[in-house]
Amino acid sequence: MVDQKKFALFLATPDSEFVKKAYGGYHNVFVETFGDEGEHWDSFRVVEGEFPDEKDLEKYDGFVISGSSHDSFENDEWILKLCEIVKKLDEMKKKVLGICFGHQIIARVRGGTVGRARKGPELTLGKITIVKDAITRGSYFGDEIPDSISIIKLHQDEVLVLPEGAKVLAYSDKYEVEMFSIEDHLFCIQGHPEYNKEILFEIVDRVLRLGFIKQEMADAAKASMDNKGADRKLLETICKNFLKGRVPAN
């Protein structure tokens, strides 16, 4: 019998009412995107101070760190605890996929600099350019490395200085670091492979209601998805290949 693969999801954001109602919570959104049949996924609400015991880290095959409305450069107790755990996972060479806030936390832990985005926040479906020379053919990107990928983006912070040993895998007009990797066990994406149009629109409406953005930005965010969608299938495949150590067949 094959051992069941186990993964842990670090949720750095609470469930919105919409996500609870539509999907039963962010746990399901992530597992639907990155999970495969027969796997076991545990969630830890790190934003609420819930973490696995250090002795249990060994039993997981991979980890995912979600996005967050919190700043990755702050020193809240739970953020510092998350940094400690990520440092431990890095030493253990465990696979860690960092998304948005998670992408920035990994950069911070490895000695990079994170801070407020120099060209302002983003709330859009955007295109990121792939650095093809930085990617080995037949790696988790597969044999056909795309020139660019469309991804939903929602952030106000960025990786300002990359950690030593990190490789930029994608950039955009506004941000120098859209995707990076360190060795074979850390893979980081500034955008949101797990988000779909409905989730984006609901977040846009919510932050508009709260007065965090102006109507003009809300309209532009929604218009970015007119007759277009994110390359969710491709992003899902890349992330799954990374997490599960798969090299796609040529």
Side-chain angles (χ1 to χ4, degrees), residues 63-74:
F63 298 78
V64 178
I65 309 170
S66 81
S68 179
S69 59
H70 292 264
D71 295 325
S72 57
F73 46 85
E74 290 297 346

Side-chain angles (χ1 to χ4, degrees), residues 214-245:
K214 294 193 160 52
Q215 188 68 51
E216 191 184 351
M217 190 174 189
D219 293 343
K222 290 185 175 182
S224 72
M225 293 203 77
D226 279 352
N227 312 314
K228 294 193 293 286
D231 293 322
R232 291 192 70 216
K233 208 75 211 146
L234 174 59
L235 286 160
E236 186 183 295
T237 302
I238 292 167
C239 292
K240 280 184 173 186
N241 286 345
F242 161 73
L243 272 176
K244 291 141 206 217

Side-chain angles (χ1 to χ4, degrees), residues 7-243:
F7 296 91
L9 171 60
F10 292 159
L11 285 170
T13 186
D15 290 332
S16 68
E17 286 310 311
F18 167 77
V19 163
K20 270 196 271 197
K21 207 166 144 185
Y23 304 98
Y26 274 121
H27 172 88
N28 294 342
V29 172
F30 277 91
V31 175
E32 203 175 290
T33 308
F34 304 127
D36 284 311
E37 211 176 317
E39 293 172 349
H40 178 84
W41 282 73
D42 288 327
S43 276
F44 297 91
R45 293 192 175 279
V46 295
V47 70
E48 291 165 16
E50 185 183 282
F51 288 91
D53 284 337
E54 281 194 17
K55 64 176 171 44
D56 291 332
L57 296 176
E58 189 51 63
K59 70 180 186 187
Y60 292 104
D61 296 284
F63 298 78
V64 178
I65 309 170
S66 81
S68 179
S69 59
H70 292 264
D71 295 325
S72 57
F73 46 85
E74 290 297 346
N75 293 317
D76 299 9
E77 198 179 324
W78 72 271
I79 292 176
L80 294 177
K81 170 80 173 161
L82 178 61
C83 287
E84 260 177 55
I85 295 268
V86 171
K87 189 170 187 299
K88 181 76 70 185
L89 294 175
D90 181 26
E91 286 163 4
M92 295 166 79
K93 298 282 190 268
K94 286 285 186 183
K95 295 257 182 192
V96 188
L97 170 64
I99 292 166
C100 197
F101 169 86
H103 152 101
Q104 296 157 15
I105 285 288
I106 290 171
R108 173 182 176 171
V109 166
R110 283 297 297 246
T113 308
V114 292
R116 197 62 84 223
R118 290 164 289 195
K119 292 186 179 173
E122 240 184 346
L123 184 53
T124 189
L125 173 71
K127 223 178 227 333
I128 60 175
T129 303
I130 302 299
V131 183
K132 290 175 130 180
D133 292 352
I135 297 161
T136 313
R137 283 173 75 82
S139 67
Y140 43 89
F141 274 77
D143 218 31
E144 288 301 316
I145 300 165
D147 294 319
S148 63
I149 296 177
S150 290
I151 188 168
I152 289 173
K153 297 165 81 188
L154 170 60
H155 64 111
Q156 60 175 4
D157 300 334
E158 68 169 319
V159 174
L160 300 166
V161 180
L162 265 182
E164 204 178 314
K167 265 195 311 192
V168 176
L169 304 180
Y171 62 91
S172 67
D173 296 346
K174 280 183 87 166
Y175 304 100
E176 290 165 22
V177 187
E178 290 283 4
M179 198 183 267
F180 74 90
S181 66
I182 299 177
E183 297 170 36
D184 292 327
H185 64 288
L186 302 175
F187 180 48
C188 305
I189 304 172
Q190 180 57 73
H192 286 271
E194 80 285 10
Y195 279 2
N196 56 29
K197 184 176 179 172
E198 289 70 33
I199 292 175
L200 174 70
F201 278 27
E202 191 273 333
I203 291 170
V204 169
D205 290 340
R206 186 155 31 97
V207 294
L208 178 65
R209 257 195 329 272
L210 292 166
F212 294 148
I213 60 169
K214 294 193 160 52
Q215 188 68 51
E216 191 184 351
M217 190 174 189
D219 293 343
K222 290 185 175 182
S224 72
M225 293 203 77
D226 279 352
N227 312 314
K228 294 193 293 286
D231 293 322
R232 291 192 70 216
K233 208 75 211 146
L234 174 59
L235 286 160
E236 186 183 295
T237 302
I238 292 167
C239 292
K240 280 184 173 186
N241 286 345
F242 161 73
L243 272 176

